[in-house]
């Protein structure tokens, strides 16, 4: 274990607030190697991830992922991609999550990290499930199965439970039950994924008309939501309970579910995506029971939170790109200021070796977000957001081309270093902002 890894193991025993403070101080202090910087950033973001605070996860990890060409040799880079893509999915920006997953899968294939590829395909299937693109979700899970020989002991539980979920969504409860039995019987899913398994079996029993089993599971799940349900699963669980209650005209259950969701939204008012789900279900309840006042209130709430969610998404992504470009520019100038002539040849060789990866970073973003524009041509807000990302990537691509010209000047001895006074406090603020 490295010194940092030993510190991380010790800090994990402390309360979450103390852990966050540790990582904030560590990252602010600087001086970390690339590997340690990525490790610390990932661990810091993970604290927010398991609290369900996905916006903070995105703010923390996205600068590394956008600049992934500089971290290709870092072992934890793929985990950063995975954590970010899942968080973006949970925030409802499914198309952006899809882009991140695709780049991560390409890197995983290059590294021959086939367990990661299986995990990424499994997680991408969840993105497609959220988009209600069930055939694409099933295709991803079939690709995950191709790496079965590289699975750890728990991977099968995730893949086959999710296959069962897809078939349940497709209205094929018998097939869903078949894959559930594989997950439970061969991969111990009822232990590995206790809450997910229980929730899925509740829906399967409901679809198959096994109401006695359904009612037992429903009551147990409601109690779990009230007492100990992890924040990351709460809204998915409430949504499943609501759908069963809606189909069975169980008004008492619907009221319980909406009350639990309202409590969460009031506790965390800036979780806009969760609030949108709550508002949507509240509207469905009002329509079912013909309450126009509640319906109007729900629609106003939904529109308000959707606008806030879109605005926050644009701000976060814009800041990430700005930080990304600014940090690269500062690092480039600092490195060139201290380079000596006898290192110029080696610098050129290293640069040319990694240049293809550096170019691919903005090119992947340009290609990915261009495709998203095609898919969302009618959504002006999304198109403007994606255009902003493409413009940022274009600027970075131009900076790479300028760097190539600078390397030519170094080789020919025509590179000039301009010495000037700078405010180091401002540089430090920009690096950690």
């Amino acid at each position: 274990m490295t010194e940092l890894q030993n510190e991380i193991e010790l800090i994990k025993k402390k309360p979450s607030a103390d852990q966050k403070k540790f990582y904030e101080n560590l990252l602010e202090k600087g001086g970390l190697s690339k590997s340690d910087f990525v490790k610390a950033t990932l661990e810091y973001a993970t604290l927010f991830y398991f609290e369900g605070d996905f916006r903070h996860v995105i703010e923390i990890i996205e600068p590394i992922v956008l600049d992934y060409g500089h971290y290709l040799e870092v072992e934890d880079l793929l985990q950063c991609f995975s954590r970010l893509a899942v968080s973006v999915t949970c925030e409802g920006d499914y198309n952006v999550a899809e882009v991140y997953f695709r780049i991560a899968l390409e890197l995983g294939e290059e590294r021959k990290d086939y367990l990661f590829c299986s995990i990424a395909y499994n997680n991408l299937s969840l993105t497609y499930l959220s988009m209600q693109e069930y055939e694409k979700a099933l295709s991803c899970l079939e690709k995950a199965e191709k790496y079965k020989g590289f699975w750890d002991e728990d991977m099968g539980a995730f893949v086959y439970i999710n296959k069962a979920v897809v078939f349940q969504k497709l209205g094929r409860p018998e097939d869903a039950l078949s894959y559930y039995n594989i997950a439970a019987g061969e991969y111990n899913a009822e232990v590995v994924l206790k809450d997910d398994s229980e929730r899925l079996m509740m829906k399967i029993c409901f679809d198959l008309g096994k109401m006695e089993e359904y009612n037992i599971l429903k009551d147990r799940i409601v109690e779990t939501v009230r007492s100990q349900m992890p924040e990351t699963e709460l809204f998915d669980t409430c949504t499943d309970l609501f759908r069963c209650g809606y189909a069975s005209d169980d008004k008492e259950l619907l009221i319980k579910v909406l009350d639990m969701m309202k409590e969460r939204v009031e506790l965390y008012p800036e979780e806009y995506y969760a609030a949108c789900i709550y508002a949507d279900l509240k509207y469905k309840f009002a329509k079912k029971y013909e309450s126009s006042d509640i319906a109007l209130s729900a629609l106003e709430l939904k529109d308000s939170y959707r606008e806030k969610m879109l605005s926050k998404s644009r701000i976060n992504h814009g800041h990430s790109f700005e930080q990304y470009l600014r940090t690269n520019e500062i690092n480039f100038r600092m490195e060139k200021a201290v380079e000596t002539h006898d290192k110029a040849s080696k610098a050129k060789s290293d640069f040319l070796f990694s240049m293809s990866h550096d170019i691919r970073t903005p090119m992947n973003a340009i290609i990915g977000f261009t495709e998203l524009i095609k898919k969302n041509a009618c959504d002006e807000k999304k198109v403007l957001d994606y255009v902003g990302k493409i413009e940022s990537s274009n600027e970075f691509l131009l900076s790479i081309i300028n760097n190539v010209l600078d390397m030519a000047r170094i080789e020919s001895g025509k590179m000039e270093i301009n010495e000037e006074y700078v405010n180091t406090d401002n540089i430090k603020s920009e690096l950690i902002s």
Side-chain angles (χ1 to χ4, degrees):
M1 274 193 178
T2 66
E3 183 178 346
L4 176 62
Q5 288 172 327
N6 286 328
E7 287 186 82
I8 288 173
E9 289 305 312
L10 291 174
I11 201 69
K12 283 181 178 178
K13 299 175 183 178
K14 295 187 176 182
S16 177
D18 292 344
Q19 293 184 55
K20 289 175 183 176
K21 191 65 177 176
F22 166 78
Y23 290 116
E24 288 165 5
N25 291 337
L26 184 66
L27 292 168
E28 182 179 356
K29 182 172 66 176
L32 298 172
S33 66
K34 283 185 181 180
S35 180
D36 283 349
F37 173 71
V38 173
K39 166 68 76 175
T41 302
L42 179 62
E43 293 290 341
Y44 180 44
T46 298
L47 294 170
F48 293 98
Y49 179 86
F50 285 111
E51 292 174 354
D53 190 348
F54 301 113
R55 290 186 299 101
H56 267 97
V57 178
I58 294 168
E59 290 171 4
I60 294 165
I61 295 183
E62 196 170 45
I64 288 177
V65 168
L66 291 174
D67 194 21
Y68 75 89
H70 290 172
Y71 300 100
L72 288 170
E73 74 279 11
V74 177
E75 182 179 352
D76 289 315
L77 176 63
L78 294 181
Q79 296 305 318
C80 287
F81 264 102
S82 182
R83 189 71 81 217
L84 175 62
V86 172
S87 297
V88 171
T89 296
C90 292
E91 283 291 290
D93 209 344
Y94 306 129
N95 292 322
V96 174
E98 184 181 9
V99 171
Y100 288 142
F101 274 126
R102 292 298 180 190
I103 298 173
L105 283 163
E106 181 181 326
L107 294 175
E109 289 282 359
E110 286 181 6
R111 290 188 178 188
K112 295 182 169 34
D113 189 341
Y114 299 128
L115 174 59
F116 172 81
C117 289
S118 186
I119 294 170
Y121 274 121
N122 176 74
N123 289 340
L124 179 55
S125 77
L126 299 178
T127 300
Y128 286 131
L129 272 169
S130 298
M131 298 168 72
Q132 298 183 8
E133 296 190 20
Y134 302 129
E135 295 298 336
K136 286 186 178 181
L138 190 58
S139 174
C140 285
L141 292 168
E142 287 170 351
K143 289 175 182 176
E145 276 189 278
K146 290 181 180 179
Y147 299 109
K148 193 172 182 178
F150 300 92
W151 286 358
D152 59 22
E153 59 183 9
D154 295 339
M155 192 65 221
F158 288 92
V159 171
Y160 287 113
I161 281 292
N162 287 332
K163 263 200 164 185
V165 170
V166 173
F167 282 112
Q168 190 273 328
K169 296 286 188 183
L170 287 170
R172 295 164 59 179
E174 293 85 0
D175 291 327
L177 182 59
S178 176
Y179 281 107
Y180 177 91
N181 288 335
I182 293 174
E186 298 181 23
Y187 296 99
N188 205 24
E190 291 175 346
V191 174
V192 176
L193 295 167
K194 180 180 180 297
D195 293 334
D196 290 333
S197 298
E198 196 167 65
R199 194 168 76 238
L200 173 59
M201 181 52 72
M202 176 192 73
K203 292 185 288 183
I204 292 173
C205 288
F206 182 84
D207 292 342
L208 293 174
K210 299 181 177 180
M211 301 311 292
E212 183 177 350
E213 293 94 328
Y214 159 74
N215 283 318
I216 292 171
L217 290 166
K218 175 199 70 177
D219 292 342
R220 190 185 303 162
I221 291 168
V222 168
E223 186 59 35
T224 302
V225 172
R226 283 175 165 170
S227 61
Q228 59 186 27
M229 176 67 68
E231 302 297 342
T232 51
E233 298 176 13
L234 188 144
F235 268 79
D236 285 340
T237 304
C238 285
T239 300
D240 288 337
L241 286 167
F242 186 92
R243 287 171 179 166
C244 290
Y246 191 91
S248 61
D249 199 19
D250 188 344
K251 188 174 181 179
E252 181 182 355
L253 175 61
L254 296 180
I255 292 172
K256 285 180 183 177
V257 170
L258 290 174
D259 285 345
M260 290 186 291
M261 297 177 83
K262 181 182 179 182
E263 182 180 343
R264 166 70 185 190
V265 169
E266 289 177 346
L267 188 61
Y268 300 99
E270 292 189 359
E271 289 193 3
Y272 303 138
Y273 180 63
C276 284
I277 296 174
Y278 164 66
D280 186 51
L281 298 184
K282 181 179 178 181
Y283 176 74
K284 290 180 179 178
F285 174 86
K287 291 290 288 182
K288 184 176 182 66
Y289 296 104
E290 299 181 349
S291 175
S292 57
D293 290 342
I294 295 177
L296 182 59
S297 169
L299 284 175
E300 291 174 349
L301 184 65
K302 186 175 180 180
D303 288 342
S304 170
Y305 276 114
R306 274 193 171 167
E307 181 57 38
K308 289 177 181 177
M309 184 172 67
L310 287 170
S311 176
K312 186 66 177 180
S313 177
R314 287 195 297 271
I315 291 170
N316 287 343
H317 288 144
H319 284 173
S320 294
F321 269 96
E322 182 182 354
Q323 181 186 42
Y324 168 46
L325 296 174
R326 185 169 62 241
T327 301
N328 273 283
E329 181 183 0
I330 292 169
N331 285 342
F332 175 75
R333 290 178 179 176
M334 290 175 67
E335 287 169 7
K336 294 309 169 189
V338 298
E339 277 182 355
T340 56
H341 179 73
D342 59 291
K343 291 183 179 180
S345 179
K346 183 178 184 302
K348 178 188 174 185
S349 298
D350 292 342
F351 177 83
L352 293 175
F353 178 77
S354 63
M355 186 174 63
S356 62
H357 291 294
D358 287 343
I359 290 175
R360 188 171 58 188
T361 302
M363 285 303 299
N364 274 330
I366 292 168
I367 293 169
F369 289 115
T370 300
E371 288 298 315
L372 295 183
I373 288 174
K374 293 177 182 178
K375 291 180 181 179
N376 298 275
C378 297
D379 191 328
E380 183 179 353
K381 291 181 179 178
K382 284 190 175 181
V383 168
L384 289 174
D385 187 27
Y386 299 149
V387 166
K389 293 180 172 67
I390 290 173
E391 288 175 348
S392 297
S393 295
N394 283 338
E395 291 177 17
F396 180 58
L397 187 58
L398 179 60
S399 75
I400 292 175
I401 295 171
N402 289 334
N403 290 349
V404 173
L405 297 176
D406 285 342
M407 291 303 297
R409 293 189 187 100
I410 291 173
E411 186 178 25
S412 63
K414 296 180 180 179
M415 185 68 175
E416 295 182 0
I417 297 176
N418 296 322
E419 296 184 0
E420 57 183 298
Y421 290 104
V422 296
N423 188 322
T424 56
D425 289 334
N426 288 345
I427 293 177
K428 181 180 176 182
S429 296
E430 288 179 339
L431 287 170
I432 65 176
S433 64

